[in-house]
């Protein structure tokens, strides 16, 4: 460790100790009714970036010990109220410490996975399978990072929003399972195995994918309009694969948004039903106000390893077409009226279930 890094670490430790001492003094000198000890939860949260898990656990235990000691030394106030406040403070410190440790583990797992994908992307002679898996895993990994940042913001509030932080951590676990499902589905797709088709609600799948991108759309001032009519029949396809297609198209639409403070940034998503009886299909449509599709671009949109993005690898739309066609549908693109582009794909509606006997 360099001298500058040592000085920075020493300064951080000194500030941390000074803050803990100030909270301890305030909690000891005030009445039992004043729950100053709950501020130790902020101390634990602020140390999340600086401390490793063992040191963070030790810090949480030290804060709990100081809370109990402060209660024993407090000279005045209502004893029973102080006892309740002490219990609540200890519970808050323990819960925040536990949530922060879980967030550290989730972030470390996501970063390790991202590093592995970066090494794969830099390797030469990538096979189609490896490239496909690396591309498709970017979505759940990005969702994990987004949920981790949201959990950190909820924990940073005063008082910490523990329920919402737990929900964010649960979303991180769900996305980790989704990443595992993506790997299995892409591998089966490249082997030519049939998708695991089942009945599912296309509108619900759209809402779930859109929710994962809410933070980015908010940060980039992108307006999302959803037209999801009720009463659509269930779709008959692999729901995990279909969500990957929806996610690819939504990310492409966001990437196509023009730059500039006065730029128009709008994305519209709609679902509809077409046909009747056995030929009935569901159609997903996404329209953006981006740069549009030139004729020479449209001719190559679904070609593998062809892209107009500086950071792209040109596999997303190729995979999306393979997924949609493997599930009995088709996908196409067309210029939108005015600026932007429109992408659509169709899926077969689920067959009618026989009535119960």
């Amino acid at each position: 460790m360099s001298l500058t890094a040592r000085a920075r670490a020493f300064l951080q430790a000194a500030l941390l100790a000074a803050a803990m001492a100030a909270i301890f003094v305030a909690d000891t000198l005030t009445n039992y009714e004043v729950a100053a000890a709950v501020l130790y939860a902020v101390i634990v949260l602020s140390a999340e970036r600086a401390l490793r898990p063992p040191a963070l656990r030790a810090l949480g235990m030290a804060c709990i010990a100081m809370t109990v000691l402060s209660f024993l030394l407090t000279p005045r106030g209502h004893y029973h109220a102080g006892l309740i406040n002490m219990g609540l403070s200890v519970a808050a410190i323990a819960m925040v410490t536990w949530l922060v440790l879980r967030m550290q583990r989730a972030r470390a797992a996501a970063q390790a996975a991202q590093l592995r994908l970066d090494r794969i992307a830099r390797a030469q002679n990538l096979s189609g399978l490896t490239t496909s898996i690396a591309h498709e895993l970017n979505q759940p990994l990005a969702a994990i990072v987004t949920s981790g940042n949201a959990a950190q913001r909820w924990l940073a509030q005063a008082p910490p929003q523990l329920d919402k932080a737990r929900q964010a951590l649960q979303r991180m676990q769900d996305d980790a399972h989704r990443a595992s499902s993506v790997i299995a589905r892409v591998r089966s797709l490249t082997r030519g195995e049939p998708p695991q088709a089942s009945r599912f609600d296309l509108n619900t799948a759209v809402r779930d994918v859109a929710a994962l991108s809410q933070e980015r759309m908010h940060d980039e001032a992108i307006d999302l309009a959803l037209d999801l009519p009720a009463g659509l029949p269930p779709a008959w396809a692999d729901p995990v694969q279909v969500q990957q297609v929806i996610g690819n198209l939504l990310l492409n639409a966001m990437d196509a948004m023009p730059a500039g403070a006065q730029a128009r940034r709008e994305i519209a998503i709609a679902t509809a039903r077409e046909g009747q009886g056995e030929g009935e299909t569901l159609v997903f449509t996404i329209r953006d106000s981006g740069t549009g599709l030139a004729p020479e671009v449209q001719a190559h949109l679904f070609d593998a390893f062809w892209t107009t993005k500086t950071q792209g690898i040109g596999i997303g739309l190729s995979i999306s077409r393979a997924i949609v066609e493997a599930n009995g549908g088709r996908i196409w693109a067309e210029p939108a009226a005015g600026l932007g582009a429109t992408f659509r794909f169709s899926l077969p509606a689920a067959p009618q279930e026989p009535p119960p006997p």
Side-chain angles (χ1 to χ4, degrees), residues 100-186:
V100 169
L101 289 171
R102 287 192 62 186
M103 187 169 61
Q104 282 186 335
R105 288 195 295 268
R107 183 185 291 113
Q111 289 175 347
Q114 189 66 56
L115 287 175
R116 288 195 294 270
L117 288 179
D118 290 341
R119 287 196 295 269
I120 291 172
R122 288 194 299 265
Q124 295 181 350
N125 301 321
L126 288 175
S127 67
L129 173 59
T130 303
T131 306
S132 301
I133 291 177
H135 179 275
E136 295 301 301
L137 278 180
N138 279 333
Q139 291 183 39
L141 286 176
I144 288 172
V145 173
T146 299
S147 298
N149 293 334
Q152 192 169 18
R153 286 198 302 272
W154 291 124
L155 292 173
Q157 294 189 6
Q161 301 293 315
L162 301 181
D163 288 340
K164 292 183 178 179
R166 278 195 294 268
Q167 292 173 7
L169 290 171
Q170 183 60 50
R171 288 197 299 271
M172 294 173 75
Q173 291 181 331
D174 294 341
D175 285 316
H177 291 307
R178 190 160 68 95
S180 177
S181 298
V182 167
I183 294 174
R185 295 297 198 275
V186 173

Side-chain angles (χ1 to χ4, degrees), residues 23 36-47 63 89 92-97 100 155-157 159-160 162:
I23 295 173
V38 75
L39 294 176
Y40 284 122
V42 179
I43 296 294
V44 174
L45 181 62
S46 63
C63 290
S89 298
I93 295 168
M95 180 61 71
V96 169
T97 303
V100 169
L155 292 173
Q157 294 189 6
L162 301 181

